[in-house]
Amino acid sequence: MNPASLIPMAEPIPIHWAWFDVLLIATFAAHVLFMNAMLGSAAIGLVQAVRGRNTLIREVGMKLPPLLALTINMGVAPLLFLQVNYGNFDYVSSVLMGGWWLAVIFVLLYSYYGFYLYKFKYETMGAGLRLALFGSSVLGIVYVGFMFSNNMTLMLRPEGWAPYFDGYAGFLNWRDPALYPRFLHMMIGALAVGGLFVALLGRHKQSEDFVRTGMWWFTRATMVNLAVGLWFLMALPDKVMLAFMGHNLPATLTLVAGLASAGVLLYAGFRMEPMRVAAWAAITVFLMACVRHWARVLYLDPWFSMDTVPVTNQYGSFYLFLGFLVGGGALMAYMLKLYFKSGQGRA
């Protein structure tokens, strides 16, 4: 079977594809920052609780419902922009995964309400039940992350779609060697940013213990993630890997810039400077989102090019989007201002 015959025809888009790629990268970077802060801090709090130190998990648990809500909302935009430019690949991989992909909704709802119960029923639940509820909610988020890694890798490999026709109702991308380092790279990155979130929380609460704990997790997880990132690079197909090693200058320079930024933020982490680390973490995550996008483009190069997609030049909807973006951003800023003025926000 020719894999190219399985790829649907791309639909026309209203404006130049570069606009959607830029929005995809920017919104994905924002989503990753919120997701990492949420999942990483929850995992660190869980580890601390298992060790008998419950202060951190209690403080983090109070922040998780709004963090998870922001993570979900920030994740909608990049998923939609991905489907505009690369929907003929993403929709196929989602359908092929079948029940595994549909289960993401229900698992995410379970984790969401699990964190809410932990926050609002903390005093009425026993210690064992609290820990079990919190731990299972964290595992639910890990499942969601693994399914997204499967989907985002499966969409890049039309040659791996054929097993669906062997009788499977839904399958995962187990045979892709890049799946495992890609997933681990994201999860360990979550521990790093989660540690940074704990340190910033400690700085806000004037808790040196939180700052030390957060910076310890941040620096160690970042060093481990650099090694996992090398594994991820070596697991890519030869053509994609070589593009990042000098065969494609823009892709190579983007990777080098990301590594340099990671070096600076790691240096700031060892100097126990959480505010400086936060600034460089945002820059590094954005650059790594650009690297991820380069990998997507290079993977799909044999099958698809955005230059072949018809453009209708209908900019009315784009201007409407920009208006709602500015208005919605202002409204969100006002809502956050009210939240932090409230007693719950100050707590």
Side-chain angles (χ1 to χ4, degrees):
M1 178 182 295
N2 181 8
S5 64
L6 302 176
I7 303 172
M9 182 179 298
E11 296 290 333
I13 54 179
I15 60 176
H16 194 274
W17 57 265
W19 284 103
F20 295 113
D21 273 359
V22 169
L23 290 167
L24 167 59
I25 294 168
T27 55
F28 176 72
H31 165 68
V32 167
L33 285 170
F34 281 104
M35 184 277 291
N36 285 357
M38 178 270 302
L39 176 57
S41 62
I44 293 169
L46 183 61
V47 171
Q48 294 288 93
V50 171
R51 293 175 177 174
R53 301 174 62 187
N54 292 309
T55 305
L56 180 58
I57 192 173
R58 174 62 171 153
E59 290 294 337
V60 167
M62 298 301 101
K63 311 298 181 186
L64 290 180
L67 264 180
L68 182 52
L70 287 168
T71 299
I72 295 170
N73 281 278
M74 289 293 180
V76 171
L79 188 60
L80 292 177
F81 291 132
L82 177 77
Q83 290 169 351
V84 170
N85 277 2
Y86 308 98
N88 49 331
F89 294 89
D90 177 62
Y91 284 128
V92 174
S93 59
S94 299
V95 170
L96 295 182
M97 288 177 63
W100 294 101
W101 184 243
L102 289 175
V104 163
I105 300 171
F106 303 101
V107 174
L108 190 57
L109 285 173
Y110 171 83
S111 295
Y112 197 12
Y113 285 103
F115 288 140
Y116 260 109
L117 285 174
Y118 182 88
K119 178 177 180 177
F120 292 107
K121 300 292 184 181
Y122 183 88
E123 303 298 337
T124 59
M125 286 191 295
L129 179 58
R130 284 200 304 261
L131 198 60
L133 179 65
F134 194 93
S136 60
S137 297
V138 171
L139 286 176
I141 301 298
V142 172
Y143 171 86
V144 172
F146 187 64
M147 290 303 110
F148 268 91
S149 291
N150 267 275
N151 199 343
M152 295 303 107
T153 52
L154 185 60
M155 68 169 281
L156 304 178
R157 299 178 62 249
E159 70 276 11
W161 295 351
Y164 179 83
F165 299 98
D166 295 335
Y168 295 102
F171 69 101
L172 299 179
N173 195 28
W174 298 112
R175 298 179 182 179
D176 188 348
L179 168 64
Y180 308 101
R182 181 184 180 124
F183 172 67
L184 287 176
H185 192 55
M186 186 64 74
M187 293 298 103
I188 297 172
L191 289 177
V193 177
L196 173 60
F197 179 76
V198 170
L200 292 171
L201 184 63
R203 190 175 184 272
H204 173 69
K205 292 184 170 294
Q206 298 181 345
S207 170
E208 287 299 320
D209 181 53
F210 278 20
V211 173
R212 285 194 301 270
T213 299
M215 286 292 94
W216 187 92
W217 278 92
F218 171 79
T219 52
R220 273 63 178 182
T222 301
M223 289 189 294
V224 172
N225 216 20
L226 289 173
V228 175
L230 179 61
W231 174 21
F232 184 17
L233 178 65
M234 301 303 292
L236 296 173
D238 290 345
K239 181 181 178 181
V240 179
M241 179 185 65
L242 292 174
F244 284 113
M245 299 178 70
H247 286 209
N248 184 307
L249 186 58
T252 302
L253 291 177
T254 305
L255 177 60
V256 170
L259 291 173
S261 180
V264 174
L265 73 89
L266 188 57
Y267 173 75
F270 279 116
R271 289 177 59 88
M272 305 290 287
E273 300 174 347
M275 293 302 295
R276 186 180 176 191
V277 170
W280 280 102
I283 295 171
T284 303
V285 168
F286 175 77
L287 290 171
M288 288 305 174
C290 294
V291 171
R292 175 190 173 109
H293 183 70
W294 270 116
R296 180 187 300 116
V297 171
L298 293 166
Y299 257 102
L300 295 179
D301 183 56
W303 313 102
F304 175 73
S305 172
M306 284 304 305
D307 291 327
T308 64
V309 178
V311 179
T312 60
N313 291 313
Q314 296 176 336
Y315 279 81
S317 58
F318 179 62
Y319 297 142
L320 186 63
F321 162 76
L322 289 179
F324 276 107
L325 179 65
V326 173
L331 184 60
M332 285 183 63
Y334 178 68
M335 292 170 64
L336 287 172
K337 180 181 178 181
L338 294 179
Y339 171 77
F340 286 114
K341 277 186 175 181
S342 68
Q344 184 180 349
R346 289 195 301 270

